[in-house]
Amino acid sequence: PGESDNRNQQKMEMKVWDPDNPLTDRQIDQFLVVARAVGTFARALDCSSSIRQPSLHMSAAAASRDITLFHAMDTLQRNGYDLAKAMSTLVPQGGPVLCRDEMEEWSASEAMLFEEALEKYGKDFNDIRQDFLPWKSLASIVQFYYMWKTTDRYIQQVI
């Protein structure tokens, strides 16, 4: 206290979760269940989501991925761990908040092209982009790869 801080604050890390928050583990778990339900509902209302995730089961699975849970935890933290405020943030005036990750931004045909390219080029993402998916950014392809590795499709190809 009392000393000046000459560090560049833009480059400093930001606290995104306080383990000493006032909520119990049960309350946090309940909020995450609500956040997944809101995510499923948001996908049901979104026309492009219903095309990509045509069944409720697939929508619920998409809503259970990390992007939804990270958003929920961030929402709790930004609202001072006040459950009522956090709930209001999940479902603002215009409707439920929809968080998507790279897996949802890709169509089934793009995913199949990616798998074909991966078989041909391995992890040479530049060649994959150049020859198979030129409309996708390199960052999008790399992010998709790491998410794709967690799917059953990846496991089937490895076996």
Side-chain angles (χ1 to χ4, degrees), residues 18-19 53 56-57 59 66 68 83 91 97 102 110 126 133-134:
D18 184 357
Q53 308 288 346
L56 181 60
H57 179 263
S59 290
D66 287 347
T68 301
L83 288 171
V91 189
V97 173
E102 223 35 68
E110 288 173 328
N126 285 313
L133 299 159

Side-chain angles (χ1 to χ4, degrees), residues 10-144:
Q10 299 290 357
K11 293 184 178 181
M12 300 296 290
E13 293 178 351
M14 185 173 25
K15 188 177 193 177
V16 295
W17 184 256
D18 184 357
D20 296 325
N21 67 72
L23 300 176
T24 65
D25 287 347
R26 185 169 191 271
Q27 288 173 308
I28 292 169
D29 289 343
Q30 288 173 322
F31 183 77
L32 294 177
V33 168
V34 169
R36 285 190 291 267
V38 167
T40 301
F41 182 61
R43 282 166 180 77
L45 294 177
D46 182 64
C47 291
S48 65
S49 289
S50 60
I51 291 168
R52 291 183 179 159
Q53 308 288 346
S55 74
L56 181 60
H57 179 263
M58 290 174 66
S59 290
S64 293
R65 287 204 295 268
D66 287 347
I67 190 75
T68 301
L69 300 179
F70 290 158
H71 174 70
M73 301 293 263
D74 182 58
T75 299
L76 273 176
Q77 195 271 337
R78 281 186 290 111
N79 286 282
Y81 303 94
D82 180 321
L83 288 171
K85 282 185 185 175
M87 295 268 194
S88 295
T89 303
L90 286 180
V91 189
Q93 187 76 24
V97 173
L98 175 59
C99 300
R100 289 191 181 141
D101 59 22
E102 223 35 68
M103 291 296 282
E104 288 181 88
E105 295 297 328
W106 288 51
S107 68
S109 59
E110 288 173 328
M112 287 174 42
L113 274 174
F114 172 80
E115 289 173 353
E116 183 181 329
L118 195 63
E119 194 172 309
K120 180 175 182 180
Y121 292 122
K123 291 191 282 184
D124 190 338
F125 300 120
N126 285 313
D127 283 349
I128 289 172
R129 180 173 185 259
Q130 182 177 341
D131 293 347
F132 283 82
L133 299 159
W135 59 91
K136 293 285 187 185
S137 71
L138 189 59
S140 174
I141 292 170
V142 171
Q143 187 178 10
F144 183 82

